[in-house]
Amino acid sequence: MRQRRIGSFSVSAVGLGGMPMSIPGRKDRATSIATIHAALDAGVTLIDTADAYTAPSDGQGHNEELIAEALASYGGDSSSVLVATKGGLIYADPGPWTRGGTPGYLTDAAKQSAARLGVDAIGLYQFHRPDPDVPYAESIGALKNLVQEGVIVHAGISNADTDQIREAHSILGDDLVSVQNQFSPAHTDSRAELDLCAELGLAFLPWSPLGGIHRASDLAEDHSAFGDVAAELEVSPQQVALAWELSLADVVVPIPGASRPPSIIDSAKAADLKLSNEQLANLGC
Ligand SMILES: NC(=O)c1ccc[n+]([C@@H]2O[C@H](COP(=O)([O-])OP(=O)(O)OC[C@H]3O[C@@H](n4cnc5c(N)ncnc54)[C@H](OP(=O)(O)O)[C@@H]3O)[C@@H](O)[C@H]2O)c1
């Protein structure tokens, strides 16, 4: 499978997003474990999670524990898998999420995530979303300390605008390796952030790359050009969307969510799907 870089890691160009397996409406644990195993079988070596991917009754960390369990029970070699987690959001009931951006909160959260994942150091730890009550530099400073203490290998940020990316980059330097923002055929607002990542050599991880849990299956209905190219290539419109995102810059690594094996098996094929210039032009976005 085509590879891309996130800091010192070489990962599959398409990752797996863990959120649908853990938030309310999720499927049973066996189906979720089978989904993660199917991703690994397909060659996926990036799994995106967060301590906040959970249901109120579970507390923080349902998805991290699920991924740790799936990796431990996998029959094959999972040593090259990068599990990228996040901190800074707290799942609340009534929900959905509240912010936690103080250095003390983030430091404790990262250590708890490492314990749930069963690792000495988290390969990629992402600040989930800016906390309006905490200066951004203070939250990012906590990530710097976490790298220096060896709790995390690399730092990432999420839901950041171009000013915040530049600020985080100036504080973290080479310790900052990725930005994760919403990006899909339906949401192209973060194009400036994607371009800045390409300029700075940071990985850009589109979240909800298929339009989100509730719109992913309607992608061709919502964006007919993707359906047309998919019909021409005899692949799914979801694969075309992911291949289009991959074509935008070689720092892009989409993380489509899945809660069933067939979804990630199909999405993973997009890593090796190349669209022609004519097809890209026909997508019109
Ligand atoms: N940083 C942030 O603030 C943030 C916010 C949201 C999400 N995320 C991350 O981004 C990941 C992806 O976002 P998302 O899960 O919200 O939305 P998404 O990836 O756009 O859509 C997920 C849904 O797409 C379906 N799907 C996946 N592959 C498919 C295929 N090839 N054909 C048809 N349907 C397919 C899955 O269905 P099934 O469930 O039936 O398998 C899944 O529920 C999340 O899982 C999470 O890791 C981050």
Side-chain angles (χ1 to χ4, degrees), residues 16-20 27 35 48-50 53 63 86 89 126 128-129 158-159 180-182 184 206-217 236 238-239 242 255-268:
L16 167 67
M19 190 168 80
K27 301 200 172 45
T35 302
D48 180 74
T49 182
Y53 296 163
N63 197 243
K86 309 181 207 75
L89 282 190
Q126 306 157 98
H128 207 143
R129 192 176 275 277
S158 181
N159 300 297
Q180 182 178 142
N181 278 9
Q182 185 174 30
S184 69
W207 65 254
S208 291
L210 304 175
I213 293 173
H214 303 297
R215 297 303 307 171
S217 58
S236 70
Q238 289 79 12
Q239 277 189 48
L242 298 168
I255 46 169
S259 63
R260 298 174 302 117
S263 305
I264 188 59
I265 290 169
D266 184 69
S267 290

Side-chain angles (χ1 to χ4, degrees), residues 9-21:
F9 296 95
S10 176
V11 297
S12 54
V14 171
L16 167 67
M19 190 168 80
M21 291 182 275

Side-chain angles (χ1 to χ4, degrees), residues 37-229:
H37 287 174
L40 301 175
D41 287 345
V44 170
T45 54
L46 169 67
I47 304 178
D48 180 74
T49 182
D51 58 3
Y53 296 163
T54 189
S57 56
D58 294 317
Q60 296 281 94
H62 179 275
N63 197 243
E64 293 175 328
E65 287 170 355
L66 185 74
I67 290 165
E69 184 184 337
L71 290 175
S73 63
Y74 184 58
D77 179 14
S78 61
S79 58
S80 61
V81 174
L82 171 63
V83 179
T85 192
K86 309 181 207 75
L89 282 190
I90 305 155
Y91 205 101
D93 185 20
W97 285 279
T98 56
R99 313 285 171 97
T102 64
Y105 174 82
L106 286 171
T107 302
D108 289 347
K111 289 177 180 172
Q112 287 166 21
S113 288
R116 282 190 289 263
L117 292 170
V119 295
D120 293 332
I122 297 169
L124 174 61
Y125 191 70
Q126 306 157 98
F127 180 38
H128 207 143
R129 192 176 275 277
D131 183 339
D133 296 329
V134 180
Y136 198 57
E138 285 186 21
S139 302
I140 299 303
L143 298 190
K144 183 83 183 168
N145 288 339
L146 285 165
V147 174
Q148 286 167 349
E149 287 175 18
V151 179
I152 69 176
V153 178
H154 294 307
I157 54 176
S158 181
N159 300 297
D161 63 24
T162 52
D163 288 345
Q164 289 161 335
I165 295 171
R166 289 191 190 282
E167 185 175 5
H169 192 244
S170 73
I171 295 168
L172 285 161
D174 290 343
D175 293 328
L176 178 70
V177 300
S178 67
V179 175
Q180 182 178 142
N181 278 9
Q182 185 174 30
F183 194 87
S184 69
H187 297 275
T188 54
D189 293 355
S190 271
R191 184 60 205 248
E193 286 76 16
L194 188 161
D195 291 342
L196 179 58
C197 285
E199 181 189 323
L200 296 175
L202 302 173
F204 182 87
L205 280 53
W207 65 254
S208 291
L210 304 175
I213 293 173
H214 303 297
R215 297 303 307 171
S217 58
D218 298 322
L219 203 143
E221 201 176 292
D222 295 345
H223 307 277
S224 59
F226 285 79
D228 294 343
V229 172

